[in-house]
Amino acid sequence: MAKKTIRDVDLTGKVVFARVDFNAPYEKGTLNITDDTRIGAALDTIKHLSGSKLVLASHHGRPKGKRDPMETLAPCAERLKELLGKKVKVTFIDDCVGEAKAAAIAAMNDGDVILLENTRFYGAEEEKKDQDALMAFAKELAEGADAFVNDAFGSSHRKHASVYGVPSVLEPAVMGFLVEKEVAALSTVYNAPQEGFVVVLGGAKVDEKIGVIKSLLPRCEKMLIGGAMSWAFFKAQGKEIGMSYCPEGSPEAAEEILCKMGDHLDKLILPSDVHMQNVQGDHSLIFARADGIRPGWDALDIGPETQEQYAEIVRAAGTVFWNGPMGKFEDKPFDEGTLIIAEAMGDCPGFNVVGGGDSVAAVTQMGLAEKMDHVSTGGGASLEYLEEGALPGIDILDEQ
Ligand code: ADP
Ligand code: MG
């Protein structure tokens, strides 16, 4: 069902509570923002609401319900000021509920922007499982506001007070431009015709991605497995994986796929060769067949034959969704598999989407993000959307 967006409602003169995702990373041990992409991603929505009194709320990091000075949003307010320019009054309020917030809202003029402090400083309330307690906190968050906007795609899979509770007490409750763009891209993937739909999955943990494998394997034409995820499947098949990275729970999850997805297993493609390092001996590197991994060796990337095979499939796809690097791309030369897939995505004339924190970082570092049709800002949220075809924080918004 199509949801209303900020284009469908007139919020001029209203106090708008907008949930954004300003979880911009800070340099370790400091409050220096290392990447302000997430703040920049909300600017279109913020600018569109320049006739409103805009109250922005976000989480930052995992402060575990305590006021952690290293997880304050104050630096994000400073950066927002720089990005919006002198004409916009941006004020940081060091609480997300209570009197200071109420007074600040009362003093606002149309066009002013307030950024509230980290909602997770009230972790127990914000993330409560108990619905009554969560709703009580949501009402405090919503206090003084006339409307809700969700522009925090990366948090929309969470039933948290600021994402899910506030829109159930405020009306209208609509999507911002970032969420609208994410939903448009991911629903295109989710509803892609089976023929020509290719999924590339890599990264580390199969158990975190088992839901998306179950959901997309029946929907796609081919699913290409790479990264450390491959070794979990190898192990489940009884192959030797030596010292290769294989997180706990992953082989069991892979085994579950192999046992339960019988009708679709011909679409699941595993690497035929690997690039591995002798970590117990002279640290030499060699390519090996999939069944040639030996004890004491660490398989760190897909091999050249697999790279070429996967790239060819990706280039010919009608729709591609990619999550998870093909190897330990942070350490050269094990970035090769990831690079070749990223280039093939760029060359593919079909619709292509990349999602996942590390995959997006890899594509961005490689300078190939511009070549993708859509780079998702939400790792967990994009996977859950492709698992369920919906997200709670979006479901709760007003229908068109
Ligand atoms: P995403 O954040 O894109 O969803 P994941 O978090 O699942 O991806 O996995 C990314 C991590 O997996 C990266 O740090 C990468 O180095 C690691 N990785 C992928 N393949 C391997 C491998 N063969 N050996 C060791 N680490 C790997
Ligand atoms: Mg990751």
Side-chain angles (χ1 to χ4, degrees):
M1 196 66 76
K3 296 292 176 180
K4 276 191 183 158
T5 76
I6 44 176
R7 242 183 267 109
D8 300 316
V9 287
D10 182 8
L11 299 174
T12 315
K14 299 235 161 88
V15 178
V16 178
F17 181 101
R19 176 58 158 94
V20 289
D21 178 4
F22 280 3
N23 189 21
Y26 299 153
E27 190 189 322
K28 214 176 164 150
T30 76
L31 293 175
N32 300 327
I33 297 172
T34 54
D35 179 359
D36 65 3
T37 310
R38 288 186 171 144
I39 303 172
L43 285 187
D44 287 347
T45 293
I46 294 172
K47 286 180 182 162
H48 181 84
L49 295 170
S50 64
S52 309
K53 301 174 181 75
L54 187 57
V55 180
L56 302 172
S58 177
H59 73 283
H60 196 281
R62 296 179 190 272
K64 302 206 174 109
K66 285 200 280 287
R67 276 193 171 265
D68 178 349
M70 299 315 287
E71 298 294 358
T72 175
L73 281 167
C76 297
E78 287 307 312
R79 183 58 55 89
L80 182 63
K81 262 183 216 172
E82 289 162 25
L83 293 170
L84 287 174
K86 286 206 181 86
K87 279 193 209 137
V88 183
K89 187 177 166 205
V90 179
T91 312
F92 176 69
I93 304 297
D94 78 346
D95 208 343
C96 61
V97 291
E99 277 168 28
K101 183 190 86 161
I105 291 178
M108 284 178 105
N109 292 310
D110 293 350
D112 289 353
V113 177
I114 280 177
L115 176 62
L116 302 175
E117 184 55 291
N118 194 346
T119 52
R120 287 196 189 159
F121 284 180
Y122 293 88
E125 289 79 5
E126 162 79 335
E127 301 169 48
K128 258 207 169 106
K129 298 267 184 297
D130 170 354
Q131 275 300 299
D132 291 342
L134 187 133
M135 286 312 297
F137 184 62
K139 282 185 186 136
E140 283 186 63
L141 284 171
E143 189 85 29
D146 308 309
F148 176 81
V149 172
N150 179 0
D151 216 22
F153 180 74
S155 300
S156 297
H157 57 315
R158 306 204 187 273
K159 278 193 165 177
H160 289 172
S162 64
V163 179
Y164 188 77
V166 181
S168 46
V169 296
L170 288 179
E171 211 196 314
V174 300
M175 309 194 264
F177 292 136
L178 173 66
V179 168
E180 184 188 24
K181 201 166 74 180
E182 290 276 5
V183 169
L186 292 167
S187 66
T188 301
V189 169
Y190 189 74
N191 297 308
Q194 201 178 51
E195 200 177 309
F197 176 24
V198 173
V199 177
V200 186
L201 281 183
K205 292 187 175 168
V206 187
D207 53 345
E208 275 178 16
K209 300 185 183 179
I210 191 167
V212 86
I213 299 177
K214 283 183 182 162
S215 159
L216 294 186
L217 195 53
R219 290 172 175 271
C220 72
E221 185 179 283
K222 288 192 174 86
M223 182 176 281
L224 313 177
I225 303 290
M229 185 179 264
S230 322
W231 323 145
F233 281 98
F234 282 9
K235 195 158 187 185
Q237 290 173 331
K239 288 194 179 85
E240 171 67 52
I241 63 162
M243 307 283 283
S244 307
Y245 183 53
C246 188
E248 207 180 312
S250 291
E252 293 75 12
E255 194 171 347
E256 189 183 329
I257 297 288
L258 295 176
C259 293
K260 289 195 180 154
M261 303 293 291
D263 294 348
H264 301 286
L265 285 180
D266 53 335
K267 305 183 201 175
L268 186 84
I269 303 176
L270 296 171
S272 57
D273 62 345
V274 306
H275 196 182
M276 65 183 188
Q277 181 166 34
N278 179 355
V279 284
Q280 283 186 335
D282 60 2
H283 290 266
S284 56
L285 312 180
I286 55 166
F287 299 118
R289 305 305 304 166
D291 56 9
I293 304 176
R294 284 172 261 151
W297 288 73
D298 184 0
L300 289 156
D301 198 6
I302 54 175
E305 181 182 276
T306 309
Q307 291 170 14
E308 204 29 64
Q309 179 201 9
Y310 284 12
E312 202 170 302
I313 294 170
V314 166
R315 278 194 292 265
T319 305
V320 193
F321 174 72
W322 177 23
N323 168 287
M326 294 291 99
K328 197 175 183 202
F329 74 98
E330 298 93 335
D331 295 347
K332 284 184 184 186
F334 306 111
D335 59 337
E336 277 166 14
T338 303
L339 180 62
I340 281 176
I341 295 301
E343 283 171 344
M345 292 270 290
D347 293 341
C348 165
F351 185 72
N352 51 54
V353 176
V354 185
D358 294 289
S359 334
V360 169
V363 166
T364 307
Q365 269 168 37
M366 290 165 178
L368 291 163
E370 299 284 299
K371 290 199 146 197
M372 309 299 161
D373 289 304
H374 183 70
V375 176
S376 180
T377 55
S382 63
L383 287 181
E384 193 169 320
Y385 189 95
L386 294 176
E387 219 176 299
E388 309 286 340
L391 293 175
I394 293 167
D395 267 354
I396 193 85
L397 303 175
D398 300 348
E399 260 153 38
Q400 292 234 327

PDB file of all heavy atoms in Angstrom, residues 145-160:
ATOM      1  N   ALA A 145       4.383  18.555  19.229  1.00  0.00           N
ATOM      2  CA  ALA A 145       4.468  18.413  17.766  1.00  0.00           C
ATOM      3  C   ALA A 145       3.087  18.170  17.146  1.00  0.00           C
ATOM      4  O   ALA A 145       2.193  17.629  17.797  1.00  0.00           O
ATOM      5  CB  ALA A 145       5.405  17.263  17.402  1.00  0.00           C
ATOM      6  N   ASP A 146       2.934  18.607  15.870  1.00  0.00           N
ATOM      7  CA  ASP A 146       1.654  18.457  15.164  1.00  0.00           C
ATOM      8  C   ASP A 146       1.699  17.375  14.091  1.00  0.00           C
ATOM      9  O   ASP A 146       0.665  16.997  13.551  1.00  0.00           O
ATOM     10  CB  ASP A 146       1.300  19.763  14.432  1.00  0.00           C
ATOM     11  CG  ASP A 146       1.344  20.978  15.337  1.00  0.00           C
ATOM     12  OD1 ASP A 146       0.730  20.930  16.413  1.00  0.00           O
ATOM     13  OD2 ASP A 146       2.014  21.976  14.967  1.00  0.00           O
ATOM     14  N   ALA A 147       2.895  16.943  13.729  1.00  0.00           N
ATOM     15  CA  ALA A 147       2.998  15.998  12.615  1.00  0.00           C
ATOM     16  C   ALA A 147       4.289  15.203  12.755  1.00  0.00           C
ATOM     17  O   ALA A 147       5.219  15.626  13.445  1.00  0.00           O
ATOM     18  CB  ALA A 147       2.998  16.754  11.291  1.00  0.00           C
ATOM     19  N   PHE A 148       4.331  14.030  12.092  1.00  0.00           N
ATOM     20  CA  PHE A 148       5.517  13.166  12.144  1.00  0.00           C
ATOM     21  C   PHE A 148       6.031  12.890  10.730  1.00  0.00           C
ATOM     22  O   PHE A 148       5.243  12.630   9.813  1.00  0.00           O
ATOM     23  CB  PHE A 148       5.157  11.835  12.809  1.00  0.00           C
ATOM     24  CG  PHE A 148       6.302  10.832  12.811  1.00  0.00           C
ATOM     25  CD1 PHE A 148       7.313  10.911  13.756  1.00  0.00           C
ATOM     26  CD2 PHE A 148       6.364   9.831  11.846  1.00  0.00           C
ATOM     27  CE1 PHE A 148       8.368  10.000  13.748  1.00  0.00           C
ATOM     28  CE2 PHE A 148       7.417   8.915  11.834  1.00  0.00           C
ATOM     29  CZ  PHE A 148       8.419   9.003  12.795  1.00  0.00           C
ATOM     30  N   VAL A 149       7.342  12.943  10.606  1.00  0.00           N
ATOM     31  CA  VAL A 149       7.976  12.561   9.335  1.00  0.00           C
ATOM     32  C   VAL A 149       9.040  11.509   9.628  1.00  0.00           C
ATOM     33  O   VAL A 149       9.863  11.687  10.531  1.00  0.00           O
ATOM     34  CB  VAL A 149       8.625  13.791   8.645  1.00  0.00           C
ATOM     35  CG1 VAL A 149       9.458  13.359   7.439  1.00  0.00           C
ATOM     36  CG2 VAL A 149       7.560  14.792   8.207  1.00  0.00           C
ATOM     37  N   ASN A 150       9.001  10.408   8.900  1.00  0.00           N
ATOM     38  CA  ASN A 150      10.062   9.402   9.017  1.00  0.00           C
ATOM     39  C   ASN A 150      11.039   9.563   7.865  1.00  0.00           C
ATOM     40  O   ASN A 150      10.685   9.328   6.708  1.00  0.00           O
ATOM     41  CB  ASN A 150       9.468   7.982   9.015  1.00  0.00           C
ATOM     42  CG  ASN A 150      10.563   6.919   9.117  1.00  0.00           C
ATOM     43  OD1 ASN A 150      11.762   7.234   9.185  1.00  0.00           O
ATOM     44  ND2 ASN A 150      10.164   5.660   9.130  1.00  0.00           N
ATOM     45  N   ASP A 151      12.263   9.995   8.190  1.00  0.00           N
ATOM     46  CA  ASP A 151      13.307  10.019   7.161  1.00  0.00           C
ATOM     47  C   ASP A 151      14.514   9.208   7.626  1.00  0.00           C
ATOM     48  O   ASP A 151      15.630   9.424   7.174  1.00  0.00           O
ATOM     49  CB  ASP A 151      13.704  11.457   6.813  1.00  0.00           C
ATOM     50  CG  ASP A 151      14.010  11.586   5.318  1.00  0.00           C
ATOM     51  OD1 ASP A 151      13.529  10.738   4.531  1.00  0.00           O
ATOM     52  OD2 ASP A 151      14.728  12.524   4.922  1.00  0.00           O
ATOM     53  N   ALA A 152      14.264   8.271   8.546  1.00  0.00           N
ATOM     54  CA  ALA A 152      15.330   7.438   9.095  1.00  0.00           C
ATOM     55  C   ALA A 152      15.162   6.018   8.561  1.00  0.00           C
ATOM     56  O   ALA A 152      14.739   5.113   9.290  1.00  0.00           O
ATOM     57  CB  ALA A 152      15.264   7.442  10.614  1.00  0.00           C
ATOM     58  N   PHE A 153      15.504   5.828   7.291  1.00  0.00           N
ATOM     59  CA  PHE A 153      15.289   4.497   6.719  1.00  0.00           C
ATOM     60  C   PHE A 153      16.032   3.424   7.505  1.00  0.00           C
ATOM     61  O   PHE A 153      15.491   2.359   7.805  1.00  0.00           O
ATOM     62  CB  PHE A 153      15.705   4.451   5.247  1.00  0.00           C
ATOM     63  CG  PHE A 153      15.486   3.093   4.670  1.00  0.00           C
ATOM     64  CD1 PHE A 153      14.211   2.662   4.379  1.00  0.00           C
ATOM     65  CD2 PHE A 153      16.547   2.213   4.498  1.00  0.00           C
ATOM     66  CE1 PHE A 153      13.984   1.389   3.911  1.00  0.00           C
ATOM     67  CE2 PHE A 153      16.335   0.935   4.020  1.00  0.00           C
ATOM     68  CZ  PHE A 153      15.043   0.521   3.728  1.00  0.00           C
ATOM     69  N   GLY A 154      17.289   3.725   7.876  1.00  0.00           N
ATOM     70  CA  GLY A 154      18.144   2.747   8.559  1.00  0.00           C
ATOM     71  C   GLY A 154      17.614   2.282   9.907  1.00  0.00           C
ATOM     72  O   GLY A 154      18.122   1.306  10.470  1.00  0.00           O
ATOM     73  N   SER A 155      16.610   2.960  10.463  1.00  0.00           N
ATOM     74  CA  SER A 155      16.021   2.547  11.744  1.00  0.00           C
ATOM     75  C   SER A 155      14.595   2.039  11.579  1.00  0.00           C
ATOM     76  O   SER A 155      13.948   1.697  12.579  1.00  0.00           O
ATOM     77  CB  SER A 155      16.000   3.735  12.712  1.00  0.00           C
ATOM     78  OG  SER A 155      17.300   4.202  12.936  1.00  0.00           O
ATOM     79  N   SER A 156      14.109   1.990  10.360  1.00  0.00           N
ATOM     80  CA  SER A 156      12.677   1.706  10.145  1.00  0.00           C
ATOM     81  C   SER A 156      12.296   0.252  10.397  1.00  0.00           C
ATOM     82  O   SER A 156      11.116  -0.097  10.381  1.00  0.00           O
ATOM     83  CB  SER A 156      12.259   2.118   8.733  1.00  0.00           C
ATOM     84  OG  SER A 156      12.420   3.506   8.593  1.00  0.00           O
ATOM     85  N   HIS A 157      13.308  -0.614  10.612  1.00  0.00           N
ATOM     86  CA  HIS A 157      12.975  -2.008  10.933  1.00  0.00           C
ATOM     87  C   HIS A 157      12.821  -2.190  12.435  1.00  0.00           C
ATOM     88  O   HIS A 157      12.538  -3.280  12.896  1.00  0.00           O
ATOM     89  CB  HIS A 157      14.036  -2.967  10.377  1.00  0.00           C
ATOM     90  CG  HIS A 157      15.440  -2.689  10.849  1.00  0.00           C
ATOM     91  ND1 HIS A 157      15.982  -1.427  10.883  1.00  0.00           N
ATOM     92  CD2 HIS A 157      16.408  -3.516  11.293  1.00  0.00           C
ATOM     93  CE1 HIS A 157      17.237  -1.498  11.316  1.00  0.00           C
ATOM     94  NE2 HIS A 157      17.514  -2.758  11.580  1.00  0.00           N
ATOM     95  N   ARG A 158      13.014  -1.096  13.196  1.00  0.00           N
ATOM     96  CA  ARG A 158      12.939  -1.209  14.655  1.00  0.00           C
ATOM     97  C   ARG A 158      11.633  -0.626  15.165  1.00  0.00           C
ATOM     98  O   ARG A 158      11.250   0.469  14.790  1.00  0.00           O
ATOM     99  CB  ARG A 158      14.105  -0.464  15.288  1.00  0.00           C
ATOM    100  CG  ARG A 158      15.442  -0.938  14.725  1.00  0.00           C
ATOM    101  CD  ARG A 158      16.541  -0.682  15.694  1.00  0.00           C
ATOM    102  NE  ARG A 158      17.832  -0.981  15.125  1.00  0.00           N
ATOM    103  CZ  ARG A 158      18.384  -2.186  15.140  1.00  0.00           C
ATOM    104  NH1 ARG A 158      17.748  -3.199  15.682  1.00  0.00           N
ATOM    105  NH2 ARG A 158      19.570  -2.384  14.592  1.00  0.00           N
ATOM    106  N   LYS A 159      10.998  -1.356  16.079  1.00  0.00           N
ATOM    107  CA  LYS A 159       9.760  -0.852  16.676  1.00  0.00           C
ATOM    108  C   LYS A 159      10.093   0.014  17.882  1.00  0.00           C
ATOM    109  O   LYS A 159       9.608  -0.222  18.986  1.00  0.00           O
ATOM    110  CB  LYS A 159       8.855  -2.030  17.077  1.00  0.00           C
ATOM    111  CG  LYS A 159       8.038  -2.584  15.925  1.00  0.00           C
ATOM    112  CD  LYS A 159       6.959  -3.506  16.438  1.00  0.00           C
ATOM    113  CE  LYS A 159       5.924  -3.777  15.371  1.00  0.00           C
ATOM    114  NZ  LYS A 159       4.907  -4.731  15.826  1.00  0.00           N
ATOM    115  N   HIS A 160      10.951   1.003  17.681  1.00  0.00           N
ATOM    116  CA  HIS A 160      11.365   1.874  18.767  1.00  0.00           C
ATOM    117  C   HIS A 160      10.393   3.039  18.910  1.00  0.00           C
ATOM    118  O   HIS A 160       9.666   3.372  17.971  1.00  0.00           O
ATOM    119  CB  HIS A 160      12.782   2.385  18.529  1.00  0.00           C
ATOM    120  CG  HIS A 160      13.836   1.328  18.704  1.00  0.00           C
ATOM    121  ND1 HIS A 160      15.147   1.515  18.384  1.00  0.00           N
ATOM    122  CD2 HIS A 160      13.734   0.054  19.175  1.00  0.00           C
ATOM    123  CE1 HIS A 160      15.839   0.414  18.656  1.00  0.00           C
ATOM    124  NE2 HIS A 160      14.995  -0.493  19.126  1.00  0.00           N
TER     125      HIS A 160
END
